[in-house]
């Protein structure tokens, strides 16, 4: 019985950790309220007003996707 519980528990942990990997990180410009993919040229140029945040977080703060990279 204990063994089954351990298996269920480890599967749960695995699901939780893989879902956090799926959460997209974007580079959010707090001044223009645009978010970029980290690979975007504008994200790399933006060093003063930008921070890496969760995409959901950026949208929550009124963020709009960049026209170049699509967010
Ligand atoms: Zn961009």
């Amino acid at each position: 019985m204990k063994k089954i519980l351990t298996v269920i528990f480890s599967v749960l942990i695995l699901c939780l950790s893989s879902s956090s990997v799926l959460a997209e990180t974007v580079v959010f410009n707090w001044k223009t309220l645009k978010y970029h993919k980290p690979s975007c040229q504008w994200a790399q140029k933006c060093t003063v007003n930008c921070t890496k945040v969760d995409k959901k977080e950026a949208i929550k703060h009124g963020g709009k996707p960049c026209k170049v990279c699509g967010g």
Side-chain angles (χ1 to χ4, degrees), residues 1-13:
M1 191 61 192
K2 230 179 181 177
K3 209 170 186 179
I4 295 166
L5 278 176
T6 312
V7 169
I8 292 169
F9 194 68
S10 49
V11 167
L12 258 169
I13 296 283

Side-chain angles (χ1 to χ4, degrees), residues 27 34-43 65-71:
V27 177
K34 288 219 172 86
Y35 60 84
H36 306 265
K37 282 178 183 148
S39 57
C40 177
Q41 54 167 321
W42 295 106
C66 160
K67 279 175 190 165
V68 179
C69 65

